[in-house]
Amino acid sequence: MKLLQLFIITSVLTFETSALKGFNKRAWDYGTSDITNYFKNDKDESTKSSEEQQTKESPIPEEPKLSPCSSTNPLTGGFFDLSELSSINQENIVAWSAKGHDYNKNFTLGVCSSPLKPNVEVNNNFDGHFAKYQINSSEVGGFYVDEFGDKFSIGNFNSTPVFRGRKLTLSYHNGSYCPNGIDKKSTLLSFICDREILSKATVSFVGVLHDCDYFFEVRTVHACPTAQKADNLALIWIFLFM
Ligand SMILES: *[C@@H]1O[C@H](CO)[C@@H](O)[C@H](O)[C@H]1NC(C)=O
Ligand SMILES: *[C@@H]1O[C@H](CO)[C@@H](O)[C@H](O)[C@H]1NC(C)=O
Ligand SMILES: *[C@@H]1O[C@H](CO)[C@@H](O)[C@H](O)[C@H]1NC(C)=O
């Protein structure tokens, strides 16, 4: 049985390597290519971007640029990629929902991208008056809908996750006005590595302060170091083979 398992694991890994070669070539090319290069290379494999050439010509090597929605933990050096949870590289808009429970409003969130289509009306008013500045729905990172069906932004998305100690976080700013009419709503997402959940991610609303600052917890396998990604795939394959 042990030998059989070993054989299956070996063949699964081999299969995976060959089947995902094209995918891996890009997916594991972290640090050397950013999203722009990704698309450029798609069009013409042989044309190097001018940025890449500059890097080669310059005597001092530049810091490798991380692709959007990824981060390196300065403590462990581990690489983390949340882009699978975003609309980056996806044809459809990826949105995550979170129940507001006692807040009586449910939330819809994007990770490093907007959960809204362009040109959707987002309410920015406070105290019954419409505020001066317009909210661009393509920049919104999360929103809730009030009892009248109006959408309120809880911040513009950003695609630079930041490590705070061991915590992988992402913050959104410049949402709709807060009740004080001065501050704008903002959001903090805290990502937790979870290999047990069956979905790609679960988003839980943790709380809100002053009707202005929103906190969420996102449990996902994508908050685990990506070096372990292949193992997870292999496990799934083993499960299917058995
Ligand atoms: C929030 O979602 C839950 C379940 O999806 C639903 O029962 C509830 O009515 C929603 N609340 C609001 C305020 O839309
Ligand atoms: C909204 O934001 C997007 C992305 O930043 C931008 O391309 C677009 O021009 C903006 N639209 C308006 C109306 O400002
Ligand atoms: C919020 O918007 C203001 C004005 O548009 C801008 O100056 C500021 O840099 C923005 N803040 C963030 C965190 O994006």
Side-chain angles (χ1 to χ4, degrees):
M1 194 59 191
K2 274 262 142 59
L3 257 172
L4 178 67
Q5 275 182 335
L6 191 69
F7 170 72
I8 289 167
I9 291 168
T10 319
S11 47
V12 158
L13 282 174
T14 321
F15 168 75
E16 211 178 78
T17 322
S18 48
L20 298 177
K21 218 166 200 164
F23 168 75
N24 277 346
K25 193 172 145 259
R26 284 204 199 96
W28 296 102
D29 193 15
Y30 299 121
T32 56
S33 69
D34 58 18
I35 205 84
T36 334
N37 289 338
Y38 177 94
F39 285 111
K40 270 184 193 152
N41 289 346
D42 243 6
K43 278 180 206 138
D44 187 357
E45 284 282 346
S46 61
T47 314
K48 289 267 192 301
S49 78
S50 60
E51 199 180 299
E52 245 175 300
Q53 277 169 352
Q54 268 173 12
T55 317
K56 268 181 196 147
E57 281 157 20
S58 100
I60 307 148
E62 284 169 36
E63 278 273 302
K65 223 172 160 187
L66 284 174
S67 48
C69 218
S70 68
S71 185
T72 306
N73 186 338
L75 295 177
T76 62
F79 181 80
F80 296 79
D81 187 4
L82 301 173
S83 63
E84 283 288 307
L85 307 176
S86 80
S87 307
I88 300 168
N89 295 338
Q90 305 283 324
E91 275 178 31
N92 299 317
I93 285 170
V94 180
W96 303 95
S97 49
K99 273 183 208 149
H101 302 289
D102 55 307
Y103 193 59
N104 279 329
K105 281 147 195 147
N106 296 324
F107 299 92
T108 308
L109 291 156
V111 173
C112 300
S113 56
S114 180
L116 286 171
K117 288 181 186 142
N119 306 318
V120 171
E121 198 180 310
V122 181
N123 202 332
N124 190 27
N125 79 350
F126 61 94
D127 217 11
H129 301 287
F130 262 96
K132 280 181 202 144
Y133 83 104
Q134 289 287 313
I135 290 183
N136 180 343
S137 64
S138 326
E139 294 177 350
V140 167
F143 68 91
Y144 63 82
V145 182
D146 75 355
E147 59 270 38
F148 306 110
D150 284 349
K151 293 183 178 69
F152 286 83
S153 169
I154 55 171
N156 287 343
F157 76 81
N158 116 48
S159 41
T160 313
V162 168
F163 267 96
R164 191 156 292 118
R166 288 178 173 279
K167 289 285 183 188
L168 182 58
T169 67
L170 189 61
S171 58
Y172 296 166
H173 301 274
N174 276 349
S176 303
Y177 274 110
C178 298
N180 69 5
I182 301 162
D183 297 318
K184 290 167 191 166
K185 290 181 193 279
S186 56
T187 291
L188 187 64
L189 304 174
S190 170
F191 292 86
I192 295 161
C193 166
D194 191 331
R195 298 176 195 281
E196 319 261 278
I197 57 166
L198 295 172
S199 55
K200 261 179 150 185
T202 58
V203 183
S204 321
F205 174 53
V206 177
V208 54
L209 300 174
H210 310 118
D211 248 344
C212 191
D213 301 310
Y214 298 79
F215 298 91
F216 297 88
E217 193 180 87
V218 185
R219 292 192 162 269
T220 173
V221 71
H222 298 289
C224 307
T226 43
Q228 317 234 359
K229 210 173 185 179
D231 296 348
N232 282 340
L233 273 175
L235 277 176
I236 292 164
W237 280 113
I238 289 162
F239 191 70
L240 289 176
F241 273 63
M242 290 287 187

